[in-house]
Amino acid sequence: MNIGVFASGRGSNFQAILNAIQRGILPARVTLLLSNRFDAGALEVARSNGIPTIHISQKQFSDEASLAARMLEVLKEHDVHLIALAGYLKKIPTAVVRAYRNRILNIHPALLPSFGGPGMYGHHVHEAVLASGVKLSGATVHIVDEEYDRGPIVIQRTVPVDEHDTPETLAAKVLKIEHEIYPQALKAFAENRVLMKEGSVWIHSHN
Ligand code: GRF
């Protein structure tokens, strides 16, 4: 399975995916790292691993259709089968969602469908979790559809919220499990163990 990773930030989830591949846990290759930011740390991670990079931003195009066309062209050039959003902060153009239906994954640093949607990224998520008083947070891997953070859930794992948590300590706890469940979810796709039934996703433990 060829994975195209989209990232806007430092790329620690991208690094976790690469680690799983290098350890032989995840039977896949990353054939492309796409970023909307020319200064994303994820680009450096790609370069030091010999992975092709591309910087594509809406600013380079007059409209969404031309951005989508360029993305699809690049995805084809790199023979990408599945797209993994790893801290990618832009909306995926509708034409790309359609072309890669059920083949785009995202990782979100909370238990969706709570604490998701537009504006819910980075520290905003953890601040909202702490302000709500919930006692559990966690991470969610889900399929990307036309709406922000709303597609079918693939894997979730929880972390406890405790009274001493700050947005920073909670983010660190959540990030640790993100690095575990994202490679797991991708492994299930790579091994064809993912079943979609009535809009829900189920992972089989064996083939
Ligand atoms: C992660 O918390 C992820 O859940 C969110 O953005 C952050 C990206 O971190 N979507 P990194 O760039 O993978 O380190």
Side-chain angles (χ1 to χ4, degrees), residues 9-14 86-87 106-109 175 178:
R10 75 200 137 172
S12 73
N13 276 287
F14 172 35
N106 181 42
I107 182 127
H108 185 77
L175 192 63
E178 289 183 42

Side-chain angles (χ1 to χ4, degrees), residues 20-145:
I21 294 172
Q22 279 152 15
R23 287 193 200 121
I25 297 164
L26 172 57
R29 295 192 300 162
V30 176
T31 57
L32 173 69
L33 183 281
L34 182 150
S35 184
N36 60 306
R37 296 186 56 121
F38 67 89
D39 57 351
L43 289 168
E44 206 33 62
V45 175
R47 285 187 203 112
S48 55
N49 284 278
I51 293 166
T53 63
I54 184 130
H55 169 229
I56 295 185
S57 150
Q58 178 67 71
K59 294 182 197 120
Q60 300 157 343
F61 302 91
S62 52
D63 52 24
E64 193 193 277
S66 25
L67 168 71
R70 178 68 185 130
M71 273 186 178
L72 288 170
E73 191 177 73
V74 169
L75 290 164
K76 196 172 173 196
E77 270 169 26
H78 294 273
D79 195 21
V80 170
H81 305 144
L82 184 136
I83 299 169
L85 309 185
Y88 185 69
L89 295 177
K90 295 288 171 190
K91 197 148 204 257
I92 301 298
T94 310
V96 177
V97 174
R98 289 204 182 122
Y100 278 81
R101 178 73 65 201
N102 297 331
R103 291 186 294 141
I104 309 178
L105 298 185
N106 181 42
I107 182 127
H108 185 77
L111 297 174
L112 292 176
S114 295
F115 308 110
M120 275 294 177
Y121 61 90
H123 63 97
H124 301 290
V125 177
H126 305 295
E127 281 161 10
V129 166
L130 291 174
S132 76
V134 294
K135 304 298 178 249
L136 286 174
S137 190
T140 304
V141 177
H142 67 96
I143 290 178
V144 172
D145 63 12

